[in-house]
Amino acid sequence: MNHGTALLWKRRALSSLSTTRRGLPKEKMSENGMMSRAKVLTIDTMNPTVKKVEYAVRGPIVQRAVELERELSEGMKKPFAEVIKANIGDAHAMGQQPITFFRQVLALCSYPELLSDSTFPEDAKSRACRILNSCGGNSMGSYSPSQGIESVRQDVAHYIERRDGGVPCDPDNIYLTTGASDGIVTMLKLLVCGEGTMRTGVMISIPQYPLYSAALAELGAVQINYYLNEEKCWSLDIPELQRALDEARLYCNPRALCIINPGNPTGQVQSRECIEDVIRFAAKERLFLMADEVYQDNVYAEGCHFHSFKKVLFEMGPEYSETVELASFHSTSKCYMGECGFRGGYMEIINMDNDVKAQLTKLLSVRLCPPVPGQALMDLVVNPPQPGEPSYERFIKERTATLSTLAEKAKLTEQVLNTVQGISCNPVQGAMYSFPRITIPEKAIKEATEMGQLPDMFYCMKMLEETGICLVPGSGFGQKEGTYHFRMTILPPTDKLKILLNKVQEFHQKFTQQYS
């Protein structure tokens, strides 16, 4: 082949490479004569369901809060000295102290040489040895079975039996998970199927915890909204469930009903009567029940009590206990523990088809196992120090102090916010959050709209820039049209919580005056 022919073939090859075929991006010649190829993965070619995922708890407000913290550290002048984050239920980040016994056992499990250290109590050492003996090679660095360490699942089953007054619990129905979120998403994966009007619909409360809407968006499922009754302390009404279900059946196949009790972001605690009504509704409409119960120890209001869906289900008799399919979830991240970073949790399944159960085990085996330190921590949560053991008194003292402080802060939050004209806050009966309604002047709504922002996002962003207080707009959780809210956690230390509430009070008054 002579030089001219070779040059012709080279030009044809370059021309061919720069032509788009089958949707592939064009390749271009860069200035230095090198061939540059467009990205294979772009915003236009990525999975479209991922682009629909939103998670307000760590959304734009929080990203700006991080920027403000950096700017303050670099010496930039702001109208505030620090950023106070009240956007997420991260207890230890807010200053809550860990339970001593839990950390002692985890330290011993992580570094077994400490077992010879006389400063550790004997019950902590014996608990660490029991956990290590259940691990491959007596090390937390080994994989566990996909369903979780067998001895831990047995302890979880015994805990559930004690909690529910003797209702039997089979360890084989317990799956240890990477926090409750892992179990929730896994169950949704099993439930979602179909196309078009037969696509799976999942009923979630509004307001809701954004994990649910995000997971449903990612899975391409249909989100069915049912609204909690704000006027009745965020109660759950069966007629509203029926309305949402009947309307949804026109465009999807409703298959599951998700309940968060105690509530996030709304802080309500459901009555036993309400839970019975929900179970009857699920049975009548043939819905799979998912009970998110991660705040089960966080109940503060007088007259309120936590009732597990499983206990109520079994006390309603065989008509329900042998037919209603239920998955319930718990976590080490909330309650008095607040150990978010260890990512420990479990789910219990009731009345699941055996063939589906085998598929669940297969699906979980793909991720090998949940973090073993999280499993160890879950074991300590469900099997804490017992009366007569060396660590018992200290454990009870720390646990009681943490929950008592949270109860005080829940009451303080409600009281202060309700003194502000234009803010109304329902009682924080449980969990770790308040979800007050705010009145936003029409002038502010108009300005927000002109800026392309939702009014409550505009409000919260303005509060952050002027006060350093980081809250999450109610639109990130869902709310009735025409109403506006924000979610704030009650977790900051009492002195900082008082500062936060005072700043919210001052800001709202100033904001209202500015836009009146």
Side-chain angles (χ1 to χ4, degrees), residues 101 105 108 114-130:
F101 180 77
V105 176
L108 291 164
L114 293 174
L115 288 166
S116 60
D117 190 327
S118 60
T119 60
F120 287 83
E122 289 304 315
D123 55 345
K125 290 181 180 181
S126 63
R127 200 65 59 82
C129 289
R130 180 173 179 272

Side-chain angles (χ1 to χ4, degrees), residues 9 142 158 224:
W9 277 104
S142 61
H158 293 150
I224 304 170

